[in-house]
Amino acid sequence: MNFASDNTGPVHPKVWEALRAADEGHAGAYGAELEMEAVGERLRELLGWPDASVRLVATGTAGNSLALACLAKPWSAIFCSEDAHVHKDECNAPEFFTGGAKLTLVPSPDGRMAPGDLAAAIAREEARGVHGPQRGPVTVTQATELGTVHSLDHLAALRGAAGKLPLHMDGARFANALVSLGCGPDEMVRDFDAVTFGATKNGAMGVEAVVFQDPSHDWEFQLRRKRGAHLFSKHRYLSAQMAGYLDVWERNARHANAMATALVDGLQGKGIEIAHAVEANLLFPRLPAGEVLRLWDAGVRFYPWEGEPSEDRPEETVLCRMVCGWTTTEEEIEGLLGLL
Amino acid sequence: MNFASDNTGPVHPKVWEALRAADEGHAGAYGAELEMEAVGERLRELLGWPDASVRLVATGTAGNSLALACLAKPWSAIFCSEDAHVHKDECNAPEFFTGGAKLTLVPSPDGRMAPGDLAAAIAREEARGVHGPQRGPVTVTQATELGTVHSLDHLAALRGAAGKLPLHMDGARFANALVSLGCGPDEMVRDFDAVTFGATKNGAMGVEAVVFQDPSHDWEFQLRRKRGAHLFSKHRYLSAQMAGYLDVWERNARHANAMATALVDGLQGKGIEIAHAVEANLLFPRLPAGEVLRLWDAGVRFYPWEGEPSEDRPEETVLCRMVCGWTTTEEEIEGLLGLL
Amino acid sequence: MNFASDNTGPVHPKVWEALRAADEGHAGAYGAELEMEAVGERLRELLGWPDASVRLVATGTAGNSLALACLAKPWSAIFCSEDAHVHKDECNAPEFFTGGAKLTLVPSPDGRMAPGDLAAAIAREEARGVHGPQRGPVTVTQATELGTVHSLDHLAALRGAAGKLPLHMDGARFANALVSLGCGPDEMVRDFDAVTFGATKNGAMGVEAVVFQDPSHDWEFQLRRKRGAHLFSKHRYLSAQMAGYLDVWERNARHANAMATALVDGLQGKGIEIAHAVEANLLFPRLPAGEVLRLWDAGVRFYPWEGEPSEDRPEETVLCRMVCGWTTTEEEIEGLLGLL
Amino acid sequence: MNFASDNTGPVHPKVWEALRAADEGHAGAYGAELEMEAVGERLRELLGWPDASVRLVATGTAGNSLALACLAKPWSAIFCSEDAHVHKDECNAPEFFTGGAKLTLVPSPDGRMAPGDLAAAIAREEARGVHGPQRGPVTVTQATELGTVHSLDHLAALRGAAGKLPLHMDGARFANALVSLGCGPDEMVRDFDAVTFGATKNGAMGVEAVVFQDPSHDWEFQLRRKRGAHLFSKHRYLSAQMAGYLDVWERNARHANAMATALVDGLQGKGIEIAHAVEANLLFPRLPAGEVLRLWDAGVRFYPWEGEPSEDRPEETVLCRMVCGWTTTEEEIEGLLGLL
């Protein structure tokens, strides 16, 4: 029973199939393989961006950092939520790839920035001329790190707050957000300039697309990708993953979200409080420390989010994170619930 | 009547004198001039750091950024107050010189970080292993950007909160803080590892010393200074400035602080509220917009700190900043007060 | 018939097998999977470095750049051959990852630096104190970009020339060099501090190991890898590749080298001159432009190395590069020869 | 008798005069002082660039590095001579300020790149697509580090070789080159896009102008200058230096050049060989080691350029560098010659 993360799971059979199909003989290197053209076409169509630049990298951090480096200057402030992966979990990769831009944190009590808070943060950076950082892009995590999802109205309001600043979506869990909203991908990115379109967490081996609506970013992105050592020579195994993934992405995400909802229902049925709205495949239950330790002993895997459970204070509540993936089964959920 | 900043004023006669004395004939370049040795000795003695590395640069931003670059790694979090000059007024220079370190902001309602808030911010960076930024140095502005001064107890408590992390003092207004505390410079830096010792704002033309208690930082600092294009060929004009400055620094600061106190007394006598404790040479009066505009029309120079005065709302209060320097006169203060 | 590069070929069945074996259920992310321990052990044993740090990345450029970033400082000169991949084919990635180090080029007429030339280049960087770049690591490409291989004596002489400077091996074609020398891997790295151990070109999908003899580099490497966005979440698919690769690496390389030798023999039998000694799996024939164009028309793939063939000057000789890989067949070689 | 460098000498009286004149009362900080406008106007007029961006920094390395950072990208190759100050004497500052651009060295036997060699170096960088560095600006040192001066024809030919790439002039010794050519400053920069206009070596204390013909670089330059910690708060002391300097620059340079010529004549009269054409204020005599040591003992200051004089081999020739400045006197020259 593993609820530790959506990156501990295996690769989906359809992705394997596509990988093996791509393995035949020789192929152009560095993205010149035929599969890449088709992948570009499919993503342009899905996102409704007919001229978009579509490029692949192998990690989400690479996707975010390289995308932001194309949208920011070294002297920029990049606006993000306090919980953003780019801020908390990338070991200063965005600062590195941008040449030293600053991440300006916007309050995000449930993982989402309120449009008013974003507008206020942007306004604060306006007044200092050459002395302060200059206003740069806004990056929005969809779904958020706290398992919430921005509604289409919320996204539109963030665009309003951002004004003419570039808007980037960290879509490491793009599919989970999408099926949660029940809209089309083109609707979800309507107000955005660029998106890091994640696949790794939802069934791929290691591939993410970076898509810019405006293709004038394409050549700079390619140079930054190469200079960042993220251009694969045997690139066909990236495009194949993405091709296979696009056959299963919505189905996988729908399953993972449904499992999370089922788990929430079960936990709430046992009187356990859940910290944030569960709108994707992550949930944050508040569990007594003793229960956490007992579940761990029984082989259930998940991480504490705030604090550490202590044997000495078994009644103390610990905020935990549980993640469901495309392989999570009803049996696992029942198993977990049965242990409480 | 100019209360805009302590960097709009002229150079002190003693500094001019030292500059002209240094002008005789040829001299070793790049810090090899004789004056530099004496300057190093005096600062080591003043700070009570007998083996310290003492090097000069021409701007405060260079002093802070280069010092932090020696104390941090590119993957560090540097802890500073929300109002710190390194964060708000250096256009991402610390991020640039460190190779992409992150500034982690600690609340500072009156310019000072509370030790508990610092400890909490540090604790938050401990938990994420290789994924998050690593804990790096703490930088403390003394006097603060809001005109307050950390007491010796406060400084000791910040050291306690910082644990073994390196502690850096941004001493752009070192002298103003020192005469405010009435202690020795060695007492003020007792808990610190490095200090940017400012002179520019208090009577010099453009010179700051960067001092590391531990001389093992010296060679790296020299390389970073050269690579940052901050090593002067005609360096004798930096060491001369500092030599002249050290004859007048306390006198100048005492005067500037006294003028600030006198101005506060006068303003409060007229019922004007002052936002923070005035412990150095800066004050933040809350003035009606109409008064601000009238003073400006009369040729008084100072900046609004929050908001902009509007003719349409003359009663609305605007938080302003006024700065006294070594050249501020009682006549100027009376002049300003007379206009209210 | 594809002789364009050793990165246009497919993945070896043994690597596929290992990948599929790793796919079972959940696994620790970010290198915590069990396979990684075994991979570390095998490489430590092979290289004869019992305490070495062993970490994986997905591209050779990442391996080289991150390794050099741990061995150099931003103000270093890194010594390399004029033909080095790090200089010519990585779009300034080493400069990026090191924070601005300089690559100092050493003459390398056949891809190899002469020890005397290396010593002279190092000596030239000694004299300028803080003003010039500081002497940093030496990186040696084994096998070279021109298909030659350094003998063990040559490697020892380079160590002699480098003195105490760190010595790094770019082993993108480590296996091809090794079987060419007929020695053990421990012998080939005896004089080195670090090696980028390539697998991608010789049968893997995309994986390279970076190995430091001195494990004190390990934590910095991990931080740089994460900050460079090169830490894979589903890392098990890197360690599995390497595990599978280590079952076939010598066999694959021996085959590729033998095919290159056979192709050279055939070409020379037809009176075609080969530019450098063919000691690994690359060869550089000088072909008349007309022949190049005819081969291309017939579907043979390879690149010109210097100049471009022109229909207008069919007799003009063009220096070409041909690469054999683990999938090259005798039929392909005969096919190519038959077309001449 | 000091021939060590043109940066060991004092500040010219006219520069002092301007500095003192600027010292009156308060002035706008950060370049808002009135003097700066006049300085901008004078330089625009002198260079014949009516719309140019004119900004000041305090060191030549800052001027060069910041100018190149505006003209290059992090993935660029910057073309320069093998002897260029930016390559040999700036401790990787250009690499730092550009975010990791590469300096591509062009042969320069007498300090000057031949146009054909420049064209060939540029051509070599054209072929590798995204894999290699991209062609960036060309920087030309006028006068060169070897004391030679490019003729107007030579400069025009370099422009021809550079094609549409940006052309930057490192004018640390702009004045010495100018009076050597006997042309107008506008003629000397006719083919250039940007110039670092040096003053420090020729009578100032520490100031250089960076001028871009195209003013669209202005705002980026200002941001880079601030981020590089090179924006002076008491900026009036930079503009004052430049204002004073522009009253004496040609006279000072004419004198320094004349002294160099006189010294060459004297040395040649004593049978001493001079290595390069002496066209500005530097000369490179080949002196027997014994003579070098004797001159040093007698208090004459200058540096060896290649090799070190040894007591054990007094007959061995050492290539030395001697520099004349605006303070060099005929007495000093006669004194030196009398010691031989």
Side-chain angles (χ1 to χ4, degrees), chain A residues 1-3 5-13 16-17 19-20 23-30 58-59 61-63 65 85 89-99 199-206 223-224 226-234 236-237 241 326-328 332, chain C residues 1-3 5-13 16-17 19-20 23-30 58-59 61-63 65 85 89-99 199-206 223-224 226-234 236-237 241 326-328 332:
Chain A
M1 283 176 285
N2 195 311
F3 300 91
S5 177
D6 32 15
N7 59 35
T8 59
V11 171
H12 192 278
W16 281 116
E17 212 175 276
L19 279 167
R20 293 311 298 257
D23 193 47
E24 190 62 32
H26 285 268
Y30 301 115
T59 72
T61 298
S65 297
H85 199 268
D89 282 298
E90 301 189 350
C91 195
N92 295 357
E95 288 88 345
F96 176 45
F97 282 88
T98 57
T200 309
K201 290 181 193 292
N202 191 34
M205 181 184 281
L223 289 164
R224 288 190 179 275
K226 172 72 192 182
R227 185 178 74 117
H230 286 286
L231 177 58
F232 271 47
S233 57
K234 293 183 169 175
R236 58 170 140 172
Y237 301 105
Q241 282 185 65
W326 69 272
T327 60
T328 305
E332 286 178 294
Chain C
M1 285 176 285
N2 194 311
F3 300 91
S5 177
D6 31 15
N7 59 35
T8 59
V11 171
H12 192 277
W16 280 117
E17 211 175 279
L19 278 167
R20 294 309 298 256
D23 194 46
E24 189 63 33
H26 285 268
Y30 301 116
T59 72
T61 296
S65 297
H85 199 270
D89 282 298
E90 301 189 349
C91 196
N92 294 359
E95 288 87 346
F96 176 44
F97 281 88
T98 58
T200 309
K201 290 181 192 294
N202 191 34
M205 181 184 281
L223 288 164
R224 287 189 179 277
K226 173 72 192 183
R227 185 177 75 118
H230 286 286
L231 176 59
F232 272 47
S233 57
K234 294 183 169 175
R236 57 171 141 173
Y237 302 105
Q241 282 184 65
W326 70 272
T327 60
T328 306
E332 287 178 294

Side-chain angles (χ1 to χ4, degrees), chain B residues 6 81 83 108-112 141-151 173 176-178 180-181 256-257 260-261 264 274-284 305 320-324:
Chain B
D6 32 14
S81 77
D83 295 287
S108 53
D110 68 352
R112 293 177 281 220
T141 315
Q142 176 79 325
T144 74
E145 295 291 318
L146 300 185
T148 53
V149 173
H150 299 82
S151 68
R173 295 190 181 92
N176 304 91
L178 188 73
S180 175
L181 292 180
N257 287 10
T261 305
V264 164
I274 309 293
H276 306 291
V278 178
E279 298 170 347
N281 62 322
L282 293 84
L283 49 149
F284 293 80
W305 189 251
C320 297
R321 186 185 80 156
M322 294 180 175
V323 190
C324 295

Side-chain angles (χ1 to χ4, degrees), chain B residues 2 7-11 16 23 26-27 29-30 58-59 62 89 91 93 96-97 200 204 226-230 234 236-237, chain D residues 2 7-11 16 23 26-27 29-30 58-59 62 89 91 93 96-97 200 204 226-230 232 234 236-237:
Chain B
N2 194 311
N7 59 35
T8 60
V11 172
W16 280 117
D23 194 47
H26 285 267
Y30 300 115
T59 72
D89 282 297
C91 195
F96 176 44
F97 282 88
T200 309
K226 172 72 193 182
R227 185 176 75 118
H230 286 287
K234 293 184 170 176
R236 57 170 141 173
Y237 301 105
Chain D
N2 195 311
N7 59 35
T8 59
V11 172
W16 281 116
D23 194 47
H26 285 268
Y30 300 115
T59 71
D89 282 296
C91 196
F96 176 45
F97 282 88
T200 309
K226 173 72 191 182
R227 185 177 75 118
H230 286 287
F232 272 47
K234 293 183 169 175
R236 57 171 142 173
Y237 302 105

Side-chain angles (χ1 to χ4, degrees), chain C residues 1 295 300 330-340:
Chain C
M1 285 176 285
L295 289 170
V300 186
E330 289 182 15
E331 289 68 35
E332 287 178 294
I333 286 171
E334 279 159 26
L336 188 159
L337 293 172
L339 286 166
L340 288 170

Side-chain angles (χ1 to χ4, degrees), chain D residues 33-68:
Chain D
E33 73 280 5
L34 292 177
E35 292 91 336
M36 188 56 212
E37 275 188 47
V39 161
E41 270 321 301
R42 280 175 78 177
L43 278 166
R44 275 187 282 272
E45 199 177 318
L46 279 170
L47 300 176
W49 291 349
D51 304 317
S53 157
V54 179
R55 300 287 165 188
L56 303 181
V57 293
T59 71
T61 297
N64 289 333
S65 297
L66 288 165
L68 291 173

Side-chain angles (χ1 to χ4, degrees), chain A residues 247-307:
Chain A
D247 289 342
V248 297
W249 65 307
E250 294 188 276
R251 183 195 329 164
N252 282 2
R254 197 165 283 121
H255 176 82
N257 287 9
M259 290 298 102
T261 303
L263 183 50
V264 163
D265 289 347
L267 290 168
Q268 285 177 333
K270 291 184 180 285
I272 291 166
E273 191 196 341
I274 307 293
H276 306 291
V278 178
E279 299 169 349
N281 62 322
L282 294 82
L283 49 149
F284 293 79
R286 297 189 193 279
L287 292 170
E291 288 280 30
V292 173
L293 294 170
R294 202 146 47 76
L295 289 169
W296 288 357
D297 283 346
V300 186
R301 294 279 161 269
F302 59 93
Y303 287 106
W305 189 251
E306 280 174 29

